[in-house]
């Protein structure tokens, strides 16, 4: 049977990594690419693998590709430290690897826990994510945030869930939101170089997001959690377009430093 290499990127994940790596301990090979963690992440990772590479973080895609380059398996699966492969997903992955007619890549449904509850509405479930693919078939879709991988040809879908233990607190959500909205500016400007948000975009985009998440996608069925996520998503949308407005304004006026919108710029800003 073909071999499976699992790739994980980390930075200070001592509280998550055992659950994550235990769920993929059945794989033929586990590769950890670490961004110089200062906690016990590396010590805990060594319980599951000896293949550990440390490299300064310059984006998820680049870090994962460093792990892919070390992989010896014909199949690749990547996972984040706050995720867990269910037994059902494990069996499906093994079944794919035994199938000579398997497609070159597969998406899996991800179930997300936010603020201590599993979120099943508001556009959060199923959170399809492309994770399993042949090493000789994939290509990267580069982006500063929320990039990914794909394959040419037909893709498959598995039924077993990938569990995602995401934001434990609102404080954690807001901290991540600040980084993600900055990096998303780069994505938005790459796809729409002429984008210049005005009053209408700043006002109506957050409202539209809230109504879609809470009403159209039935976020109200998740109770207070659904309301909070719809409202925080609206705040995210407002923050994103406000940052694009700020970036364009500084760019056009040529006054002061431009805000950081890439992983390298953001890391340098935080270290300054």
């Amino acid at each position: 049977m073909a071999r499976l290499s699992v790739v994980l990127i980390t930075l200070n994940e001592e509280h998550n990594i055992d659950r994550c790596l235990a769920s993929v301990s059945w794989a033929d090979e586990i590769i950890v690419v670490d961004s110089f963690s200062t906690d016990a992440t590396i010590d805990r990772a060594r319980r599951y693998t000896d293949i550990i590479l440390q490299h300064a973080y310059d984006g998820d895609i680049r870090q994962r590709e460093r792990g892919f380059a070390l992989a010896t398996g014909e199949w690749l699966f990547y996972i984040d430290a706050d995720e867990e492969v269910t037994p059902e997903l494990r069996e499906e992955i093994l079944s794919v690897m035994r199938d000579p007619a398997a497609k070159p890549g597969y998406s899996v449904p991800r179930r997300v826990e936010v603020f201590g509850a599993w979120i099943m509405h508001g556009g959060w479930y199923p959170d399809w994510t492309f994770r399993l693919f042949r090493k000789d078939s994939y290509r990267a879709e580069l982006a500063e945030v929320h990039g990914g991988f794909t394959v040419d040809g037909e893709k498959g879908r598995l039924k077993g869930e990938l569990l995602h233990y995401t934001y434990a607190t609102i404080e954690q959500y807001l901290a991540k939101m600040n980084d993600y909205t900055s990096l998303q500016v780069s994505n938005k400007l790459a796809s729409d170089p002429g984008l210049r948000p005005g009053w209408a975009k700043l006002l109506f985009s957050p409202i539209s997001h809230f109504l879609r998440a809470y009403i159209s996608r039935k976020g109200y069925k998740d109770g207070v959690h659904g309301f909070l996520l719809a409202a925080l998503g609206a705040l995210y949308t407002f923050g994103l377009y406000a940052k694009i407005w700020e970036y364009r304004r500084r760019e056009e006026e040529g006054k002061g430093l431009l805000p950081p919108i890439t992983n390298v710029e953001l890391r340098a800003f935080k270290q300054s």
Side-chain angles (χ1 to χ4, degrees), residues 62-84:
R62 293 179 179 87
Q63 288 289 77
R64 289 189 176 113
E65 288 203 294
R66 292 184 178 101
F68 295 166
L70 296 176
T72 61
E74 295 90 344
W75 284 88
L76 301 174
F77 183 88
Y78 74 86
I79 191 170
D80 289 334
D82 58 357
E83 294 175 337
E84 178 183 11

Side-chain angles (χ1 to χ4, degrees), residues 4-14 16-18 20-22 24-25 27-37 39-57 60 62-72 76-81:
L4 175 70
S5 297
V6 172
V7 174
L8 166 69
I9 62 174
T10 58
L11 174 62
N12 295 335
E13 293 285 359
E14 65 178 4
N16 287 318
I17 195 167
D18 282 295
C20 172
L21 292 185
V24 293
S25 59
D28 298 289
E29 181 177 67
I30 296 174
I31 300 166
V32 174
V33 182
D34 182 73
S35 303
F36 297 103
S37 292
D39 64 2
T41 294
I42 296 299
D43 291 337
R44 292 180 179 273
R46 291 197 191 282
R47 301 175 184 177
Y48 303 90
T49 182
D50 293 325
I51 310 174
I52 298 174
L53 169 69
Q54 289 193 295
H55 193 284
Y57 182 82
D60 286 5
R62 293 179 179 87
Q63 288 289 77
R64 289 189 176 113
E65 288 203 294
R66 292 184 178 101
F68 295 166
L70 296 176
T72 61
L76 301 174
F77 183 88
Y78 74 86
I79 191 170
D80 289 334

Side-chain angles (χ1 to χ4, degrees), residues 120-123 211-222:
M120 304 303 293
H121 305 90
L211 293 175
R212 284 198 312 274
Y214 194 64
I215 304 298
S216 300
R217 297 174 179 169
K218 302 180 180 180
Y220 60 86
K221 289 191 173 183
D222 287 315

Side-chain angles (χ1 to χ4, degrees), residues 80-209:
D80 289 334
D82 58 357
E83 294 175 337
E84 178 183 11
V85 170
T86 59
E88 294 78 12
L89 179 56
R90 177 193 66 208
E91 292 305 314
E92 279 193 278
I93 292 172
L94 292 173
S95 177
V96 164
M97 293 169 58
R98 288 190 293 264
D99 183 0
K103 295 177 175 60
Y106 291 81
S107 296
V108 302
R110 188 165 57 168
R111 181 153 53 104
V112 183
E113 183 190 76
V114 186
F115 311 147
W118 294 108
I119 307 302
M120 304 303 293
H121 305 90
W124 285 79
Y125 185 85
D127 180 22
W128 288 102
T129 178
F130 187 71
R131 295 298 184 89
L132 177 67
F133 40 86
R134 294 184 185 275
K135 185 180 179 182
D136 63 2
S137 300
Y138 86 91
R139 55 184 170 83
E141 296 180 312
L142 289 173
E144 291 297 333
V145 66
H146 304 316
F149 302 92
T150 190
V151 293
D152 295 321
E154 186 182 2
K155 302 174 187 176
R157 281 189 169 186
L158 304 182
K159 296 179 181 178
E161 292 179 332
L162 180 67
L163 304 182
H164 187 194
Y165 302 89
T166 184
Y167 311 108
T169 65
I170 293 175
E171 179 182 7
Q172 188 182 42
Y173 181 102
L174 293 173
K176 284 285 189 180
M177 182 186 75
N178 192 36
D179 286 351
Y180 287 171
T181 49
S182 293
L183 298 174
Q184 189 72 11
V185 170
S186 182
N187 292 358
K188 283 285 189 180
L189 294 182
S191 62
D192 185 1
L195 180 60
R196 285 174 172 77
W199 282 105
K201 200 73 171 176
L202 290 167
L203 177 61
F204 293 113
S205 290
I207 295 173
S208 175
H209 177 95

